[in-house]
């Protein structure tokens, strides 16, 4: 794979709009950034601001548990073969209760052998919408029964948001985080 297309912008080279965006990111997230999606999005500060706001809600304030949202993120990252996203979020998933065996199975493109009932619903919902581009009545009904309407809509939001990050990082050729391997590639 070729080198990363967009290098992160050095803070001393920020435009006024980039500086305001980075300062806002620091204020809200209580951390800076150097790469990943934010290293790409800083090239479009207004897009970055809106993406950050959506991400803050979906990761930290939506009604789905951290475990279920992180499971969904891993599924999106695997579907898009997005090395950075998977490399960051597998640790979050493990910290929030996703079994290492499930993380390894997803990394290798397989359905985990043992999933809790709520994890099975997320697996079915996310893989169905990613692969079929729709969700069946049965899958929708299970999600609403288990999580409620708002959380089911938020699950759609998580899938869409992390696809935005994945496709943007894939287009910009963002490498995996330092020390993380690339995801296995599978033939089509």
């Amino acid at each position: 794979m070729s080198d990363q297309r967009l290098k992160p912008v050095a803070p001393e080279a920020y435009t006024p709009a980039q500086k305001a965006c980075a300062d806002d990111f620091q204020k809200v997230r209580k951390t800076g950034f150097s790469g990943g999606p934010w290293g790409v999005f800083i090239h479009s500060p207004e897009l970055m601001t809106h993406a950050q706001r959506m991400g803050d809600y979906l990761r930290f304030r939506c009604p789905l548990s951290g475990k279920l949202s992180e499971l969904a993120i891993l599924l999106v990252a695997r579907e898009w073969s997005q090395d950075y996203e998977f490399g960051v979020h597998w640790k979050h998933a493990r910290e929030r209760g996703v079994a290492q065996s499930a993380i390894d199975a997803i990394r290798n493109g397989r359905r985990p052998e043992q999933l809790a009932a709520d994890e099975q619903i997320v697996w079915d919902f996310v893989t169905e919408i990613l692969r079929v581009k729709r969700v069946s009545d049965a899958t929708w009904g299970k999600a609403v029964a288990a999580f409620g309407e708002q959380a089911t809509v938020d699950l759609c939001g998580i899938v869409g948001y992390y696809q935005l990050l994945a496709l943007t990082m894939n287009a910009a050729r963002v490498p995996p985080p330092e020390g993380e391997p690339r995801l296995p590639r599978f033939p089509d």
Side-chain angles (χ1 to χ4, degrees), residues 33-113:
F33 62 89
S34 60
W38 312 115
V40 176
F41 284 135
I42 194 67
H43 293 272
S44 179
E46 188 170 353
L47 175 60
M48 179 171 159
T49 297
H50 292 293
Q52 176 198 336
R53 292 289 187 267
M54 181 178 281
D56 290 344
Y57 169 73
L58 291 170
R59 272 204 64 218
F60 306 118
R61 296 191 314 276
C62 84
L64 279 179
S65 74
K67 175 181 81 168
L68 298 178
S69 64
E70 290 297 337
L71 177 63
I73 294 164
L74 291 182
L75 293 169
V76 171
R78 175 64 271 181
E79 183 71 16
W80 281 86
S81 295
Q82 207 331 285
D83 299 315
Y84 187 92
E85 197 165 85
F86 200 96
V88 168
H89 283 278
W90 78 263
K91 295 171 190 167
H92 297 316
R94 190 176 66 197
E95 289 167 1
R96 287 165 179 83
V98 177
Q100 187 64 50
S101 61
I103 294 166
D104 293 341
I106 294 166
R107 179 188 311 273
N108 291 307
R110 297 187 325 269
R111 181 184 180 110
E113 291 181 19

